[in-house]
Amino acid sequence: GQNIDQPTEMTATEGAIVQINCTYQTSGFNGLFWYQQHAGEAPTFLSYNVLDGLEEKGRFSSFLSRSKGYSYLLLKELQMKDSASYLCAVLIDYKLSFGAGTTVTVRA
Amino acid sequence: GAVVSQHPSRVICKSGTSVKIECRSLDFQATTMFWYRQFPKQSLMLMATSNEGSKATYEQGVEKDKFLINHASLTLSTLTVTSAHPEDSSFYICSARGDYNEQFFGPGTRLTVL
C-alpha cells in the first residue's frame, strides 16, 4: 500500500501562520496535490507540485522535496473560514492516493 | 476550474434496495471519472476508475457486482449501490480527470442505509 502521513489536527489563531507537513512513501510519483475540504463537502483544489521547490498562490504556499518524500502546505494570515480539513494527495500514474487529512481549527 | 455535479446530494434508503448516484461534468468532457468513498473522519478511498465506453477498473477489495459503474457518455458516470446494507452508509464522491491529471470533485452524496 501507499504511506502518506500528515498530522491529524492543528489549531492556530486568526491571523497566524500554520504549516501542515506531509510525508510519503509510494510506489510511484507523478506529483503532489493539496486539497481543502469543509465538513460534508467535496475537496477543492489548492495546489499542485511536481518539481522541487515552493509554489506560492496568495495566502497559500506549497513546498515539495521529492528526494525526501516531503511536502508542506503553508497557510498565512489565517481566517476563520480556513477551518477545514487539508488533504495531501500523491498522484501515481493517473490516480490520487490521499492522506488521512489534517483538521485545522482557527480560533479568534 | 471545471464544474462537476452529483445527484442526489443525500439519500436515505431501506436495507436491500439499490441506489443510483449520478456524476456529471458540466462544462467539459471527461473520459475518465473516479468514484471515492469517505467514512467519517477518514480520507477519501478510491473505489474505481470509470472510463467512457469501457468497463470500470475497481480497486482491490471493492466488489464490482455490488458497486456497478456505468460511463456511457463523456459527461456522465453513474454508480449503483446494489442491495445496500447499513455498512454501505458513507459519503460517496466522484471526480473527473482534467487535461493535466488534476481532478475536479463533485459535491458528494451522503448515503444512509437504514
Side-chain angles (χ1 to χ4, degrees):
Chain A
Q2 317 296 346
N3 287 325
I4 302 171
D5 294 314
Q6 49 182 132
T8 305
E9 294 180 327
M10 300 183 76
T11 302
T13 306
E14 196 174 15
I17 298 173
V18 71
Q19 178 174 313
I20 306 169
N21 296 323
C22 173
T23 58
Y24 61 90
Q25 290 178 304
T26 55
S27 58
F29 182 85
N30 297 98
L32 189 142
F33 288 83
W34 283 95
Y35 285 88
Q36 180 191 62
Q37 186 181 26
H38 285 98
E41 298 180 11
T44 55
F45 170 80
L46 290 178
S47 69
Y48 172 58
N49 294 70
V50 65
L51 300 176
D52 289 354
L54 185 69
E55 294 280 343
E56 296 187 84
K57 190 183 292 186
R59 294 190 298 115
F60 296 168
S61 304
S62 57
F63 172 83
L64 174 67
S65 169
R66 289 172 298 171
S67 62
K68 295 182 180 178
Y70 167 70
S71 173
Y72 67 74
L73 178 70
L74 195 69
L75 285 64
K76 300 179 222 176
E77 301 169 21
L78 279 173
Q79 301 175 9
M80 300 300 286
K81 67 177 181 179
D82 296 330
S83 292
S85 182
Y86 292 84
L87 308 176
C88 171
V90 175
L91 183 67
I92 303 166
D93 293 329
Y94 59 89
K95 297 192 286 187
L96 286 176
S97 187
F98 283 85
T102 300
T103 300
V104 172
T105 302
V106 181
R107 293 185 173 166
Chain B
V3 180
V4 176
S5 70
Q6 267 183 254
H7 178 79
S9 58
R10 189 179 293 269
V11 59
I12 301 173
C13 69
K14 292 182 179 180
S15 185
T17 60
S18 293
V19 175
K20 179 186 281 190
I21 303 169
E22 293 185 349
C23 178
R24 293 181 186 273
S25 57
L26 298 184
D27 51 2
F28 70 106
Q29 294 182 328
T31 54
T32 303
M33 290 183 172
F34 302 90
W35 287 96
Y36 295 86
R37 181 166 51 183
Q38 186 177 34
F39 291 106
K41 299 197 175 182
Q42 295 186 25
S43 193
L44 281 74
M45 296 299 296
L46 180 64
M47 299 174 66
T49 304
S50 170
N51 296 297
E52 186 267 336
S54 64
K55 290 184 179 180
T57 305
Y58 290 81
E59 295 299 301
Q60 194 171 8
V62 178
E63 300 174 58
K64 62 179 182 181
D65 295 330
K66 180 167 182 64
F67 299 99
L68 300 178
I69 292 171
N70 184 282
H71 194 156
S73 79
L74 286 170
T75 58
L76 173 64
S77 176
T78 61
L79 168 68
T80 301
V81 183
T82 62
S83 186
H85 287 91
E87 58 266 29
D88 298 323
S89 298
S90 188
F91 192 49
Y92 291 86
I93 307 175
C94 72
S95 70
R97 179 184 174 190
D99 292 337
Y100 302 99
N101 277 322
E102 73 275 50
Q103 291 185 26
F104 303 101
F105 287 86
T109 297
R110 174 76 58 193
L111 171 63
T112 303
V113 185
L114 303 176

